[in-house]
């Protein structure tokens, strides 16, 4: 199933996603499908004695089953879930203290950028932004108080691919710095950052992992016991936990992750190749295309690419508006990773919270369109793009 030249998928992924943490014998009823346990409190046989669960914030059986499954899918020891992807980010940032320093990639997810710029930095934690595709820039960004490196690959919306192994090596040579990789765009099916030296993998499960656009949730996956203990404490102490109902939905969705990602991958590449040949399209940012500047790095650390990529056309803001409002199958909306195809204009939507200069510097202008290619028939998606481009440029 591997794409040409990309890493070979480890065997057993789908089996793990379906069975890990789901053993029916852990329920008295022997339920095959993990039950939704709504109870917020659990009976204790004697004061301060418990049978694994005390109170729903500190632990819940449905949540535990999901966390076990997430860890196994990543080949990791531990996983923790949070009320949202940004809840996971907030919790990880709370490992740090006043006076510490974070290095973040410059085109990090808009919400992460906003959290770092407008909340975390107010708490006396310094954040600098660097282009992680240039390792020398990262080197010079290090300070004595650097404690954490936050990277996303591929980045959003410009789909730059960052060399996780090279960056992790550099970071480890600089001292005790935690490497966090936001793996939302690829999922554990397409990229396993822990294998390349990362310490924590963070997810917005809201996107591909859940894949049905009906849950907001986040996760952190890791091997280190001490970091896990500290994050487990923060998960409970800060109260950033997801609901049992949502845990049920995500756990259910993981059972089809491998199948869904294969289809996202195939359809997105087909559309990217079609766009590359279109006379109105000037650039296509997709890591599966040999023209992508980091195509070689992508093949080294990914088993393939997902359904999200972006492109630029030869018009201006007016053409972008016309194109987006002419789409019939693609829905004009933020987010990505669901079964339904979405299209958006990052400059006015997902990345509007970035300062204008930062947008300009990154190249997030009004002709850059981001697609999240869903699971519809690919011919219908291409026909839709074709007719919308015609309307935009008529
Ligand atoms: C959506 C997203 C987040 C934030 O996740 P929420 O679940 O919306 O809080 C973080 N990182 C990336 C790459 C995302 O796409």
């Amino acid at each position: 199933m591997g794409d040409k030249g990309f890493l070979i998928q480890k065997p057993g992924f789908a089996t793990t996603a379906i069975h890990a943490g789901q053993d029916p014998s852990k329920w008295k009823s022997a339920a095959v499908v993990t039950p939704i346990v709504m109870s917020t409190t659990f009976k204790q046989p004697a004061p301060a004695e418990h049978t694994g669960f005390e109170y729903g914030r500190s632990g819940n059986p449905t949540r535990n089953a999901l966390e076990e499954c997430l860890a196994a899918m990543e080949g990791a020891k531990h996983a923790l879930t949070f009320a949202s992807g940004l809840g996971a980010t907030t919790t990880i940032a709370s490992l740090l203290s006043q006076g510490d320093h974070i290095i973040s990639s410059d085109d990090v997810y808009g919400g992460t950028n906003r959290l770092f710029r407008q909340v975390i930095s107010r708490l006396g934690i310094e954040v600098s932004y660097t282009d992680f595709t240039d390792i020398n820039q990262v080197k010079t960004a290090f300070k004595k108080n650097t404690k954490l490196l936050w990277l996303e690959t591929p980045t959003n919306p410009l789909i730059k691919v960052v060399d996780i192994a090279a960056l992790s090596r550099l970071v480890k040579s600089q001292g005790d710095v935690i490497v966090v990789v936001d793996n939302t765009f690829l999922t554990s099916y397409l990229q396993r950052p822990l294998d390349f030296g990362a310490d924590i993998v963070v997810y917005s499960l809201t996107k591909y992992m859940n894949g049905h656009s009906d849950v907001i949730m986040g996760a952190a996956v890791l091997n280190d016991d001490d970091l896990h203990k500290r994050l487990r404490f923060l998960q409970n102490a800060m109260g950033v936990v997801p609901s049992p109902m949502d845990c049920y939905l995500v756990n259910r969705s993981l059972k089809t992750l491998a199948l869904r990602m294969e289809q996202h991958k195939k359809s997105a590449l087909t559309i990217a190749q079609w766009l590359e040949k279109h006379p109105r399209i000037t650039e296509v940012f997709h890591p599966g295309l040999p023209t992508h500047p980091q195509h070689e790095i992508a093949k080294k650390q990914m088993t393939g690419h997902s359904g999200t990529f972006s492109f630029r056309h030869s018009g201006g803001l007016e053409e972008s508006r016309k194109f987006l409002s002419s789409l019939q199958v693609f829905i004009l909306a933020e987010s990505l990773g669901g079964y339904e195809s979405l299209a958006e204009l990052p400059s006015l939507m997902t990345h509007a919270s970035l300062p204008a200069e930062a947008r300009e510097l990154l190249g997030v202008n009004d002709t850059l369109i981001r697609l999240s290619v869903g699971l519809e028939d690919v011919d219908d998606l291409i026909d839709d793009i074709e007719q919308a481009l015609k309307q935009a440029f008529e």
Side-chain angles (χ1 to χ4, degrees):
M1 291 213 286
D3 286 70
K4 267 184 224 88
F6 278 79
L7 269 188
I8 306 290
Q9 180 69 48
K10 286 191 180 150
F13 183 91
T15 311
T16 302
I18 288 171
H19 292 293
Q22 320 290 307
D23 185 357
S25 70
K26 64 170 151 178
W27 314 102
K28 270 207 179 117
S29 65
V32 169
V33 174
T34 295
I36 310 173
V37 179
M38 294 298 280
S39 187
T40 55
T41 188
F42 299 84
K43 185 178 175 183
Q44 309 195 1
E49 266 180 42
H50 63 81
T51 52
F53 298 97
E54 301 165 87
Y55 182 62
R57 175 164 25 75
S58 50
N60 167 281
T62 313
R63 193 171 93 206
N64 273 23
L66 168 62
E67 289 178 345
E68 247 181 83
C69 189
L70 287 168
M73 285 165 63
E74 201 85 26
K77 275 170 86 175
H78 310 288
L80 302 110
T81 51
F82 300 92
S84 67
L86 280 175
T89 307
T90 304
T91 310
I92 292 167
S94 303
L95 289 166
L96 304 192
S97 304
Q98 188 177 10
D100 288 346
H101 174 233
I102 299 174
I103 307 176
S104 163
S105 50
D106 56 4
D107 62 346
V108 78
Y109 172 70
T112 305
N113 194 297
R114 181 177 52 203
L115 176 74
F116 285 165
R117 277 182 202 273
Q118 298 186 37
V119 183
I120 301 297
S121 58
R122 243 188 330 100
L123 306 178
I125 295 168
E126 227 185 315
V127 188
S128 359
Y129 302 88
T130 308
D131 180 355
F132 281 5
T133 58
D134 179 355
I135 206 118
N136 285 318
Q137 271 199 43
V138 186
K139 233 181 241 174
T140 54
F142 270 96
K143 299 181 182 199
K144 269 208 209 80
N145 54 344
T146 304
K147 289 285 164 62
L148 195 142
L149 190 98
W150 190 279
L151 75 96
E152 227 174 272
T153 177
T155 64
N156 173 19
L158 285 160
I159 320 291
K160 289 192 279 190
V161 175
V162 176
D163 190 332
I164 303 171
L167 223 66
S168 300
R169 264 197 311 276
L170 169 70
V171 167
K172 298 303 171 188
S173 73
Q174 304 288 315
D176 198 12
V177 178
I178 302 168
V179 178
V180 184
V181 177
D182 183 333
N183 204 30
T184 299
F185 267 45
L186 291 179
T187 77
S188 44
Y189 182 69
L190 295 173
Q191 179 169 269
R192 310 243 298 230
L194 299 177
D195 294 350
F196 300 97
D199 299 299
I200 304 176
V201 178
V202 66
Y203 286 108
S204 170
L205 300 175
T206 311
K207 314 295 166 54
Y208 287 106
M209 295 288 263
N210 182 55
H212 293 69
S213 306
D214 53 6
V215 173
I216 299 277
M217 201 188 294
V221 187
L222 68 165
N223 281 318
D224 188 276
D225 294 332
D226 177 58
L227 266 181
H228 170 244
K229 223 164 99 190
R230 289 163 64 200
L231 285 174
R232 185 66 74 189
F233 167 80
L234 288 169
Q235 181 197 38
N236 181 46
M238 295 173 63
V240 218
V241 294
S243 80
M245 177 73 195
D246 286 348
C247 290
Y248 168 82
L249 286 170
V250 174
N251 190 49
R252 186 271 326 254
S253 298
L254 293 177
K255 310 309 171 221
T256 55
L257 181 71
L259 285 173
R260 288 188 281 111
M261 294 319 289
E262 280 301 320
Q263 191 59 48
H264 284 299
K265 182 166 82 177
K266 251 207 309 228
S267 296
L269 186 63
T270 304
I271 294 173
Q273 286 165 339
W274 183 88
L275 281 169
E276 252 194 336
K277 295 193 200 102
H278 194 283
R280 296 293 187 185
I281 305 304
T282 54
E283 266 178 294
V284 181
F285 304 91
H286 187 297
L289 297 174
T291 48
H292 188 281
Q294 292 100 29
H295 181 58
E296 291 308 315
I297 299 170
K299 288 195 291 191
K300 215 174 60 175
Q301 66 188 21
M302 294 152 59
T303 58
H305 37 77
S306 68
T308 305
F309 68 98
S310 51
F311 65 89
R312 248 192 257 284
H313 58 74
S314 58
L317 179 58
E318 207 36 54
E319 284 72 21
S320 286
R321 282 189 199 279
K322 265 205 193 134
F323 171 75
L324 289 166
S325 50
S326 303
L327 289 166
Q328 306 280 331
V329 182
F330 278 87
I331 298 168
L332 172 56
E334 299 194 359
S335 197
L336 58 107
Y339 55 75
E340 76 292 3
S341 291
L342 303 177
E344 67 119 358
L345 189 60
S347 64
L348 296 188
M349 295 170 65
T350 48
H351 289 66
S353 67
L354 272 187
E357 321 82 72
R359 273 204 307 272
E360 176 120 352
L361 211 67
L362 290 173
V364 181
N365 63 15
D366 296 332
T367 64
L368 182 77
I369 307 246
R370 190 185 77 186
L371 299 181
S372 169
V373 175
L375 305 176
E376 301 93 338
D377 297 295
V378 70
D379 290 341
D380 292 336
L381 296 175
I382 290 177
D383 288 350
D384 193 31
I385 296 173
E386 186 168 30
Q387 65 80 20
L389 280 172
K390 213 174 266 164
Q391 305 242 15
F393 285 95
E394 77 184 356

